[in-house]
Structure formats: structure tokens, C-alpha cells
Amino acid sequence: MVILMQGTEGILTILVMIGLGYYLCSRKWFDERTTGVIVRLVIVVSLPMYMIYNILTDFTRDKLIDLVPGLMYPLLSMGILFIVSLLMTRIFRVRKGRRGTFASMFLNSNTLFIGLPVNLALFGTSSLPYVLIYFMANTLCFWTLGVYLISKDGENSEMGKPSVKTVLSRVFSPPFIAFLVAILLLLLNVQFPKFIMDDMKYIGGMTTPLSMIFIGICIYRAGIENVRLSKDAFGILLGRFIIAPAIMIGLVYFADIPMLMKEVFIIQSAMPVMTNAPVIARASEWCGCRLCCNHGHAEYFVCFGSHPIFIICCFKNSVLIDLISWTERYHLNKLLKTLILLAYVTK
């Protein structure tokens, strides 16, 4: 019950910010120009500061090196999810111009703003290193493949194929460059004065509120009456809450890694979609924001609205791993553990 309440409070925080964006847009506070300013402020200023601050404060050089081998599991999981997402676009008949957004939302999860508090509630502060290692893999995937896929949705026959320069500009976006810079600074053991770190903390703190307000603006402009569970949204929910954790369970089940790492990776893989996707769509020169928002606003609304149910699923995930741990503790055979796993996945 405590976990459910903590998760519900976290999602209510998000919904209030989205509601604020919706309300302010209904009061004509935002036009196309001011919306563009919000996007640029997030992409170019606050989000890079957010990444640098979090990596420099939550990691050490030695911890980063020790955790690097664990990166293979989330990266491999996302690679498999990408292949599955391509198959799902055919199964759900996702129309051209939405396939990249569908695939990006299918394989990337909200690992920090939602994932961090959920894992802290489930496993305590000892889970933080594993949360952040998954965050690094997810960040790498989203700001390369994910951003490329979203921006590619806006291409049409008149624009033609993007140049090499355009492709590189998509991949090496300001947030991803900040991510690389933060890793380099960490490896070189560079330390900034306290006032600079405080500046990055405060500026980076704008990222989530502005992103949520932007989503509220998108929902208002798309029309609240259009927020419904489309087949595309259903496909994304299926990928986020069922297929992704099932793949991760399969990858880590027999892996020789700490049990807590397995637990965190499974929970992180089942987080809702990235909230930055509509912002990236608006910022991309090759992608129409309205197209992405019309496609994405229902997915965000459904994911946020279903979060209390998802928290219960997280709890069931932890029960699953407790059962597996119990069988290992008492040296029960692998067949029993496999039956427990299959019973959980197929129920």
C-alpha cells in the first residue's frame, strides 16, 4: 500500500504540471512562438545542465568503471525491443509518418523522473547505482536512435532524404553532447566549484516542469476529446508494460550479476514512455510537432493515468524475484524457477 501511494503521488505530481500547461494554453498564454521558446529552453539549456549535474553528482569514476559491464543488459534489451518494434509497426499497421515515433516510444522508458522514485520506494537507496546505469543506457539509446527515429517521421517526398550533416545533427543533439561531456568530465575527475554545480542544478531543475507543461499544451491543441486508446497507443502500452519487462527477465534471469541489479533492470524496463518525445518532435526541423503530438498525447495520457495499476505490477515484479531468490536460497531446481517465471509472464 505504501508503494502504491508513493507511486500515485508521483504520477499526480506529473498530472498537475500537465494540467497547468493545458489550463494556461486554454487561457491563450502560449502561441507557436512561445511554445518554440519552451522547446529551445529545454533542449539547448536546461536538459544538458540536468544531465551533466546528475552524472557528476550521482557517479564517481570508479563506480562508473565498475558498472560499465552492466550496460550490456539494458542496451541488448533495447536492441531487441527495436527489432520487435519494427515488427509491431506491421502488426498494428502504423502508418508512415508515425512509425519512428512509435518505435522510439516502444523501446525507451522514463527511467529517471518516474523510474528513480519507484525504484527507491521498492528497493531503497542501494538501488541508485543500478538505476543510473540503466539511465545511461536509456539516455544513449534515446538521444541517438530514438531522436533519429522521431525526426525521420517528418520526412516527405518533397524534402527528400536528409544529408549526412542533418543526420549527424540529429544524433549529436545538445543533450547527447552534454551526456558525452559529463562522462568525459567524470573520467578525468574534473570538479566544478559549488556555485557552478548549484547553477546547473537549478537550471536543470526546469527540465521536467517545462516538459510537462509542453505536453499539456499539446493535449489542449490536439483536443481533450481526442485522447483515446488508439491501436498505436495500445501497441506502445503493450511494449512498455509487457514485452519490455518480459525481454529483460529473459536476459537477466541466468546472468551472473547481483540480484538487486536484476530487480532494478526489470522495473526500469517497464517504466512509461519518455516525456521528452513531443519536445524532440517540436525541435526537429524534419518533423512536424502537430503530427507527433496528435500521435503521442493519448499514449502519455494513458500511461500516466494507468500508473497506479503499473505500480501494482512493479510490486508483483518484486514478488516474482523474491520467489526466485527463495528457490535459489534453498537450492531448488531450475525447473521450478522456470515454472515460476512462466506462470508470471503468461498470466
Side-chain angles (χ1 to χ4, degrees), residues 174-191:
F176 184 62
I177 293 174
F179 173 77
L180 297 178
V181 169
I183 296 299
L184 180 61
L185 293 173
L186 192 64
L187 293 175
L188 296 176
N189 200 28
V190 176
Q191 295 183 347

Side-chain angles (χ1 to χ4, degrees), residues 85-148:
S85 72
L86 298 180
L87 177 63
M88 296 296 280
T89 57
R90 295 183 178 275
I91 294 176
F92 285 90
R93 297 179 180 178
V94 180
R95 69 179 178 85
K96 189 176 181 180
R98 295 185 174 186
R99 295 171 185 171
T101 301
F102 180 95
S104 179
M105 298 171 79
F106 190 94
L107 64 95
N108 291 118
S109 55
N110 193 323
T111 56
L112 202 64
F113 185 73
I114 297 178
L116 179 59
V118 168
N119 277 279
L120 290 177
L122 286 171
F123 310 119
T125 55
S126 57
S127 65
L128 184 59
Y130 305 127
V131 170
L132 293 175
I133 201 68
Y134 197 102
F135 162 71
M136 290 176 60
N138 191 74
T139 300
L140 179 65
C141 181
F142 180 77
W143 291 106
T144 52
L145 179 61
V147 170
Y148 176 77

Side-chain angles (χ1 to χ4, degrees), residues 30-251:
F30 303 112
D31 55 19
E32 286 294 328
R33 181 178 178 278
T34 53
T35 304
V37 171
I38 292 176
V39 171
R40 287 181 61 83
L41 188 59
V42 171
I43 297 298
V44 180
V45 181
S46 68
L47 189 51
M49 295 296 100
Y50 179 81
M51 287 191 173
I52 294 175
Y53 175 81
N54 278 279
I55 290 175
L56 293 182
T57 54
D58 293 327
F59 281 95
T60 64
R61 184 176 180 275
D62 293 337
K63 184 186 294 185
L64 177 65
I65 294 174
D66 291 340
L67 292 176
V68 163
L71 274 171
M72 65 174 288
Y73 297 102
L75 288 175
L76 183 58
S77 171
M78 292 171 201
I80 296 173
L81 278 171
F82 173 62
I83 296 173
V84 174
S85 72
L86 298 180
L87 177 63
M88 296 296 280
T89 57
R90 295 183 178 275
I91 294 176
F92 285 90
R93 297 179 180 178
V94 180
R95 69 179 178 85
K96 189 176 181 180
R98 295 185 174 186
R99 295 171 185 171
T101 301
F102 180 95
S104 179
M105 298 171 79
F106 190 94
L107 64 95
N108 291 118
S109 55
N110 193 323
T111 56
L112 202 64
F113 185 73
I114 297 178
L116 179 59
V118 168
N119 277 279
L120 290 177
L122 286 171
F123 310 119
T125 55
S126 57
S127 65
L128 184 59
Y130 305 127
V131 170
L132 293 175
I133 201 68
Y134 197 102
F135 162 71
M136 290 176 60
N138 191 74
T139 300
L140 179 65
C141 181
F142 180 77
W143 291 106
T144 52
L145 179 61
V147 170
Y148 176 77
L149 290 171
I150 292 173
S151 61
K152 197 172 186 295
D153 269 352
E155 295 174 18
N156 56 49
S157 58
E158 293 180 1
M159 291 181 179
K161 293 185 177 180
S163 64
V164 174
K165 180 180 178 180
T166 302
V167 172
L168 290 177
S169 68
R170 292 175 182 175
V171 174
F172 290 94
S173 58
F176 184 62
I177 293 174
F179 173 77
L180 297 178
V181 169
I183 296 299
L184 180 61
L185 293 173
L186 192 64
L187 293 175
L188 296 176
N189 200 28
V190 176
Q191 295 183 347
F192 292 110
K194 184 179 182 300
F195 77 92
I196 293 181
M197 293 299 293
D198 287 343
D199 285 336
M200 288 193 290
K201 176 183 178 181
Y202 294 135
I203 295 172
M206 297 189 299
T207 301
T208 297
L210 289 177
S211 296
M212 298 302 103
I213 288 173
F214 178 78
I215 291 174
I217 296 171
C218 287
I219 293 176
Y220 176 80
R221 289 178 177 171
I224 193 68
E225 67 279 1
N226 295 322
V227 178
R228 60 185 182 274
L229 185 59
S230 65
K231 62 181 178 64
D232 294 354
F234 179 78
I236 292 171
L237 291 172
L238 181 67
R240 286 284 79 241
F241 297 140
I242 297 178
I243 297 176
I247 290 174
M248 183 57 73
I249 289 172
L251 289 175

Side-chain angles (χ1 to χ4, degrees), residues 123 249 253 259 262-263 266 313-345 347:
F123 310 119
I249 289 172
Y253 182 68
M259 180 57 68
K262 295 181 181 181
E263 294 172 338
I266 292 171
C313 294
C314 289
F315 176 73
K316 290 181 178 178
N317 272 336
S318 67
V319 172
L320 164 71
I321 297 187
D322 287 342
L323 287 171
I324 293 175
S325 301
W326 181 78
T327 61
E328 290 179 344
R329 184 179 306 165
Y330 291 98
H331 306 288
L332 299 183
N333 59 52
K334 291 183 178 179
L335 177 60
L336 178 57
K337 290 188 287 185
T338 303
L339 289 175
I340 292 172
L341 179 67
L342 290 175
Y344 172 81
V345 172
K347 67 187 175 80

